[in-house]
Amino acid sequence: MGEFVGIDPSRAHDLIRRLEAGSLLLSGVRPLVDAAVAEAGDDWAGRHGTTALRRAQEFLHDARRELRWRIDTAEQLVPVRERGLLTVAFPFAGEAEATWAAAETATAVLAALATGRPAEVERAFAASAGPTGEAAGDPAHAAGLLGALGPDGLVLVLRGWSEAEAPGERDGLPPAALARAADASPGLLARAFAAAERTGRLGEEWRELPATAPADVLTTLIALARPSGALLNVVAVELLNRRPDAGPDWNLHHLAHAYRAFPEALQELLAEHQKETGVLLDAYALGTHPAYERALAAALRRALEPGAGADGLRERAWSALTGALDAGHRLWQDLETFLDAGERV
């Protein structure tokens, strides 16, 4: 059973800092009390001594952890980031309950995977996550679920679904299939992955996922949820180096579309990764995938519009982009509103 929560993240972070300061103070006091107790021996008049200090430190530690979980959960569950008070219905009453529920879900999903039947996997997720899958947005639940499944388990679930529901679509899920995936296990896992990744709760074993997972799995994750811009760039560099001469497909479309939410990440890609930028531009120049072209042009406009990101990075991105475009490149027409450098300040 969850609860309705109202929390102001900025004020809560301030409280966490105060709790940390109190814990540090107690850490400095405890050795002094220990020494005083040892020196006094039988003459020590106190009954509890450092036991009370230890319990106080444990309380401060638990309070900080609970508060961090509440902040992370509220920020992941509120669809639009707002300042001030956030109000949200938590799917779980506490971090321990979320972790326990994740273990239950993982056990059911792993058992279903062992059957080799994607329908069983879907039933396991549906029975555990609820009709709207709100549990996927809880960072503690997400981290527990992904920790139990592991990268291989995540790939198995997503690949199993696509082979059953969209066979042969290894170049990325087309829109109709992607819409179905959003309401099935891929959508739940994508939201869980984003929640755990954005809050820094993924284990070390996940660092290699961008390098080892199939391209369609990676683009499904970034298309169905919103991981961090840093991860998006890691995925982009990896995918754009796998098939640098390939034409545009739905994988490339999903990558370009994801950048619309992260203009600063696209600025960084343009400024720091000229080779990978060239792959995006070459695919655009072919003119064979209108949806990809619209997605890339929209992402570039958002990244280069006045006021987007930091001025210096935006100017470097613009300089790198214009330097990579031939005079007759088709993209010039779509970016004509940015040709006047004065409009980009």
Side-chain angles (χ1 to χ4, degrees):
M1 179 67 69
E3 61 179 314
F4 184 76
V5 174
I7 189 169
D8 184 331
S10 64
R11 292 179 179 271
H13 279 299
D14 181 61
L15 177 56
I16 287 175
R17 287 190 290 270
R18 292 172 183 270
L19 292 172
E20 288 173 343
S23 183
L24 287 174
L25 177 62
L26 291 179
S27 295
V29 169
R30 279 186 64 183
L32 300 178
V33 175
D34 286 339
V37 171
E39 182 179 352
D42 294 338
D43 294 331
W44 177 252
R47 297 182 57 188
H48 302 292
T50 57
T51 301
L53 293 178
R54 176 179 56 79
R55 289 175 178 171
Q57 279 190 298
E58 290 174 352
F59 167 77
L60 293 175
H61 175 271
D62 292 343
R64 294 200 310 272
R65 178 167 180 164
E66 178 76 7
L67 198 50
R68 284 196 182 95
W69 169 74
R70 288 179 177 273
I71 295 170
D72 288 345
T73 303
E75 290 184 335
Q76 301 311 309
L77 292 178
V78 174
V80 178
R81 184 62 56 86
E82 301 172 355
R83 293 185 178 182
L85 183 68
L86 300 181
T87 56
V88 60
F90 277 27
F92 303 105
E95 185 174 10
E97 181 182 325
T99 303
W100 178 86
E104 292 288 300
T105 300
T107 298
V109 171
L110 289 171
L113 280 173
T115 69
R117 295 193 293 271
E120 292 297 321
V121 175
E122 294 306 306
R123 276 192 281 272
F125 273 109
S128 302
T132 61
E134 65 274 7
D138 184 297
H141 183 277
L145 175 61
L146 293 171
L149 292 180
D152 291 342
L154 178 140
V155 171
L156 280 174
V157 172
L158 267 63
R159 259 295 165 82
W161 186 92
S162 63
E163 289 175 355
E165 299 293 330
E169 298 290 356
R170 295 297 177 88
D171 293 331
L173 293 177
L178 194 66
R180 296 197 305 274
D183 296 325
S185 59
L188 290 170
L189 283 180
R191 292 194 292 277
F193 181 82
E197 188 270 332
R198 286 195 303 256
T199 56
R201 293 173 181 253
L202 288 177
E204 288 295 318
E205 69 274 17
W206 292 90
R207 287 186 179 274
E208 296 301 316
L209 183 71
T212 58
D216 58 297
V217 168
L218 294 172
T219 59
T220 296
L221 289 175
I222 63 175
L224 294 180
R226 189 180 293 183
S228 68
L231 179 78
L232 181 58
N233 272 352
V234 171
V235 170
V237 170
E238 173 63 34
L239 294 186
L240 294 172
N241 277 289
R242 287 188 190 180
R243 299 174 60 197
D245 299 325
D249 55 19
W250 287 114
N251 280 329
L252 215 54
H253 167 271
H254 298 333
L255 181 64
H257 190 272
Y259 272 115
R260 296 179 64 178
F262 295 100
E264 290 188 14
L266 183 53
Q267 291 171 0
E268 182 179 344
L269 183 76
L270 295 171
E272 303 291 343
H273 298 279
Q274 286 78 22
K275 175 185 173 183
E276 291 77 11
T277 296
V279 176
L280 292 173
L281 300 179
D282 290 346
Y284 187 101
L286 293 176
T288 58
H289 201 297
Y292 164 68
E293 295 158 29
R294 289 192 297 271
L296 181 61
L300 287 171
R301 291 193 192 100
R302 187 163 296 185
L304 299 173
E305 66 184 357
D311 291 344
L313 181 59
R314 187 176 67 253
E315 290 302 318
R316 288 174 55 212
W318 174 257
S319 177
L321 177 64
T322 55
L325 290 174
D326 296 331
H329 199 286
R330 297 177 62 250
L331 189 57
W332 280 117
Q333 183 177 356
D334 288 319
L335 296 179
E336 60 183 356
T337 57
F338 298 103
L339 293 180
D340 180 1
E343 295 181 2
R344 296 179 289 102
V345 176

